[in-house]
Amino acid sequence: MSTAAFVYRNPTQESRATRLALTVLAIGFVGLFLLLPLMSVFANALANGISGASAALSNSDTLSSVRLTLIVAAIAVPCNMAFGVAAAWVIAKFDFRGKSILSTLIDIPFSVSPVVSGLVYVLMFGLQGWLGPWLRDHDIRIIFALPGIVLATMFVTFPFVARELVPLMIDQGRDEEEAAVSLGASGFKTFLFVTLPNVKWGLLYGVLLCNARAMGEFGAVSVVSGHIRGLTNTMPLHIEVLYNDYSYAAAFAVASLLAMLALVTLVLKSFLEWRFADEIAATHRH
Amino acid sequence: MSLMIDCVAKKFERYPALRGVSLEVSKGAFLALLGPSGSGKTTLLRILGGLEFADLGQITFENQDWLSIPARERRAGFVFQHYALFRHMTVASNVAFGLEVRPRRTRPSRAEIRRRVDELLTLVQLEGYGDRYPSRLSGGQRQRVALARALAIEPRLLLLDEPFGALDAKVRKELRVWLRALHNRLGLTSIFVTHDQEEALDMADIVAVMNDGKIEQIGTPDELRHAPATPFVADFLNSGRSQTPDRPRLSVVNL
């Protein structure tokens, strides 16, 4: 018997050329369409040197737009976190009539154009809207003010947390909750000690995505904000204003600040995944 | 009689899972609910544990209206087929859970809880495993943790839903003997759901054979073996025996 020159190959592995082509394609695509534009944002921001960029960032209108964006995110993200967890909990752990309708409703903000989302609030709270006259009589400002911007942001970012948690919670099933109840835990303690710890990584991921979108939302906020400089302009809106004013360097400086927030979010997520890898593995289905 | 189940019925959507089941269990008994899948045995067990609700009927346990007590106040230790261990907690925290979630007034001290956990882990032969996570244990070990967790609340009733269903045959046999001995030692009243006739006849004092949401026959393993009341019982018990390796089927011999 001669020893034939067998080439052991992983049955799911493609030839070297195919692998190389696919890798180049993927890296090339990511580089060309994601990395290059991002780098050009930073490059343009520094067109007038670091002093130019820092001068643009310390402008009072710019600072107020940063402050507004942070305030909006600080209100909208915790609210959506609470709503998202509640929605995911009822959908995954309970049976009731209209469950599939609720599940579909949660996706509305993903399927509706952000401009429409903004218009909805103008139609409701604007001067010509349903509640407009009543609000004006009671001196309550929603449109062209902080409440409107927060509402529009919350609408657009609503699905992020729920969408992240629903499949995870469904996959984990109800066994552990049933065990907790049979051991004497109240509904609240079951949620706090069993349900929540099991989904905390999914929750964190959902919150990070929700936050990134809340800070970056343009369309819906643009409709309800009124673009009042230094007052109702969030960072994305302020970038547009600067750009239309031909203040390119300033626009790109604020844009790179916004992009940096997104990058920090991603780095944070990767760091947490790396730091707690063991625990994440343990909370997946055994 | 300590546990009395009277005409319990339950429908899912429009499909009846239980069609009026009545049963009496004396204190300290080991009862097996035996039947094919879909016979309603697990539904009955879950109703006893308060995880499912009966549409009709009554259950009395130690002179209390059992169905009016919420699940978390029943102190019915429930052991699940797929263990249902809290995967983000260590073995010790899993076992301690039932004590930790008690209201402050009735919660034992931390030292007392630790002592009880050690005691229970010794009882289920898992000393020294307290710091491990469930994902690092074998199936048999996980099920013993689940049992220790259920025993921690000093259950008035132990409910076991196919507890050995996910284990291999050898471990299953060992645990069977061990669980029965434990039941005797602790003086528990246990109800055990299984579709394995050999397991039921081997372990239980009383076996209730269920089919299609009804009880076909209740009796001791001997009674069932020698005097099956219905053709279904005779057939069901027989089909199990022919699968055991010491009585090969003719078709197998012909090969």
Side-chain angles (χ1 to χ4, degrees):
Chain A
M1 270 214 307
S2 68
T3 47
F6 279 121
V7 180
Y8 290 104
R9 235 178 67 183
N10 184 339
T12 58
Q13 190 155 347
E14 296 299 331
S15 72
R16 201 185 168 78
T18 318
R19 273 184 290 151
L20 198 69
L22 284 173
T23 313
V24 168
L25 190 71
I27 291 178
F29 188 84
V30 168
L32 205 63
F33 288 93
L34 294 177
L35 218 54
L36 201 64
L38 199 62
M39 272 157 52
S40 87
V41 168
F42 288 106
N44 274 308
L46 295 173
N48 296 352
I50 292 182
S51 60
S54 68
L57 289 179
S58 54
N59 173 289
S60 76
D61 285 353
T62 303
L63 286 178
S64 89
S65 79
V66 173
R67 200 180 306 122
L68 182 64
T69 292
L70 292 177
I71 291 172
V72 169
I75 301 171
V77 173
C79 285
N80 273 344
M81 184 172 137
F83 293 153
V85 169
W89 199 38
V90 294
I91 288 176
K93 310 278 175 179
F94 300 101
D95 293 313
F96 56 91
R97 263 172 218 278
K99 182 163 142 172
S100 57
I101 297 176
L102 179 63
S103 182
T104 311
L105 283 178
I106 288 176
D107 277 340
I108 281 185
F110 272 170
S111 48
V112 166
S113 160
V115 178
V116 177
S117 317
L119 275 175
V120 168
Y121 288 102
V122 174
L123 287 176
M124 275 175 67
F125 302 118
L127 268 184
Q128 272 73 46
W130 296 342
L131 298 171
W134 186 88
L135 290 170
R136 187 191 52 207
D137 293 345
H138 292 78
D139 206 22
I140 301 170
R141 294 188 57 111
I142 292 185
I143 300 303
F144 306 146
L146 180 68
I149 298 173
V150 171
L151 282 175
T153 306
M154 273 169 64
F155 183 92
V156 172
T157 57
F158 180 80
F160 283 94
V161 174
R163 272 287 149 249
E164 197 63 42
L165 291 186
V166 168
L168 185 63
M169 281 185 170
I170 288 178
D171 178 52
Q172 288 180 346
R174 301 174 199 179
D175 282 11
E176 290 184 38
E177 279 79 8
E178 285 180 348
V181 168
S182 80
L183 290 167
S186 61
F188 178 68
K189 281 186 173 169
T190 301
F191 176 73
L192 200 64
F193 297 142
V194 176
T195 310
L196 205 53
N198 271 337
V199 299
K200 66 181 172 197
W201 297 108
L203 179 63
L204 182 76
Y205 191 47
V207 165
L208 287 176
L209 284 178
C210 180
N211 183 54
R213 182 67 195 267
M215 289 185 169
E217 175 54 27
F218 179 83
V221 171
S222 170
V223 175
V224 296
S225 112
H227 300 267
I228 309 167
R229 272 196 199 201
L231 212 57
T232 65
N233 261 356
T234 59
M235 282 169 77
L237 300 186
H238 190 59
I239 292 168
E240 195 209 16
V241 168
L242 289 173
Y243 188 80
N244 289 344
D245 284 353
Y246 303 104
S247 319
Y248 292 134
F252 280 111
V254 183
S256 36
L257 193 63
L258 199 56
M260 232 121 79
L261 285 174
L263 290 179
V264 166
T265 305
L266 283 180
V267 169
L268 196 67
K269 178 186 153 272
S270 306
F271 172 75
L272 289 170
E273 276 175 353
W274 167 77
R275 175 74 183 72
F276 295 100
D278 282 353
E279 210 181 315
I280 293 170
T283 50
H284 279 96
R285 235 181 181 359
H286 39 243
Chain B
M1 286 290 158
S2 140
L3 176 67
M4 279 184 286
I5 299 171
D6 190 17
C7 273
V8 167
K10 166 84 184 170
K11 271 186 184 176
F12 287 116
E13 308 282 312
R14 291 169 69 192
Y15 157 80
L18 290 174
R19 314 165 185 257
V21 168
S22 299
L23 192 62
E24 293 186 355
V25 186
S26 55
K27 196 170 170 62
F30 196 115
L31 169 83
L33 297 173
L34 173 66
S37 52
S39 60
K41 53 195 192 311
T42 295
T43 307
L44 181 60
L45 194 77
R46 288 171 59 85
I47 289 173
L48 283 169
L51 303 174
E52 212 78 72
F53 301 97
D55 298 334
L56 285 172
Q58 270 197 323
I59 297 179
T60 322
F61 182 66
E62 288 171 353
N63 300 320
Q64 281 179 301
D65 178 7
W66 192 240
L67 294 181
S68 69
I69 309 172
R72 63 192 178 93
E73 287 164 25
R74 287 191 193 181
R75 273 185 33 221
F78 206 106
V79 177
F80 297 81
Q81 182 175 3
H82 298 290
Y83 329 122
L85 293 176
F86 306 127
R87 65 194 99 177
H88 62 285
M89 293 184 197
T90 61
V91 165
S93 310
N94 263 283
V95 177
F97 186 85
L99 302 172
E100 299 274 9
V101 296
R102 282 192 194 168
R104 199 173 294 274
R105 285 174 291 111
T106 55
R107 193 190 309 157
S109 71
R110 195 166 288 177
E112 170 66 12
I113 290 178
R114 194 176 310 141
R115 194 187 62 75
R116 290 268 288 280
V117 169
D118 286 343
E119 209 175 272
L120 284 160
L121 287 179
T122 310
L123 184 73
V124 298
Q125 300 164 353
L126 287 172
E127 306 103 314
Y129 282 78
D131 293 332
R132 298 209 193 174
Y133 281 91
S135 54
R136 300 280 154 86
L137 300 182
S138 73
Q141 289 170 331
R142 287 181 200 175
Q143 199 54 293
R144 280 184 279 151
V145 174
L147 193 65
R149 183 179 67 174
L151 292 174
I153 58 169
E154 294 174 327
R156 304 165 65 187
L157 198 57
L158 188 61
L159 306 171
L160 306 122
D161 183 10
E162 305 237 7
F164 309 145
L167 304 174
D168 63 66
K170 183 171 170 288
V171 178
R172 199 151 65 198
K173 279 221 167 98
E174 286 167 10
L175 279 182
R176 214 189 271 177
V177 177
W178 174 82
L179 178 65
R180 180 64 224 222
L182 192 73
H183 165 92
N184 293 347
R185 206 166 115 203
L186 301 177
L188 293 159
T189 305
S190 306
I191 300 178
F192 182 97
V193 159
T194 180
H195 64 263
D196 181 338
Q197 39 288 79
E198 197 190 311
E199 199 166 271
L201 297 176
D202 247 28
M203 289 176 76
D205 305 320
I206 306 276
V207 178
V209 183
M210 293 186 70
N211 180 37
D212 199 19
K214 278 186 301 210
I215 292 183
E216 293 269 336
Q217 186 176 6
I218 307 173
T220 63
D222 269 348
E223 283 167 4
L224 290 176
R225 275 195 199 101
H226 298 119
T230 65
F232 174 83
V233 174
D235 193 44
F236 191 69
L237 295 185
N238 245 331
S239 66
R241 219 164 289 167
S242 64
Q243 277 165 13
T244 54
D246 52 339
R247 289 173 197 224
R249 281 181 170 161
L250 272 181
S251 59
V252 177
V253 174
N254 287 342
L255 283 172

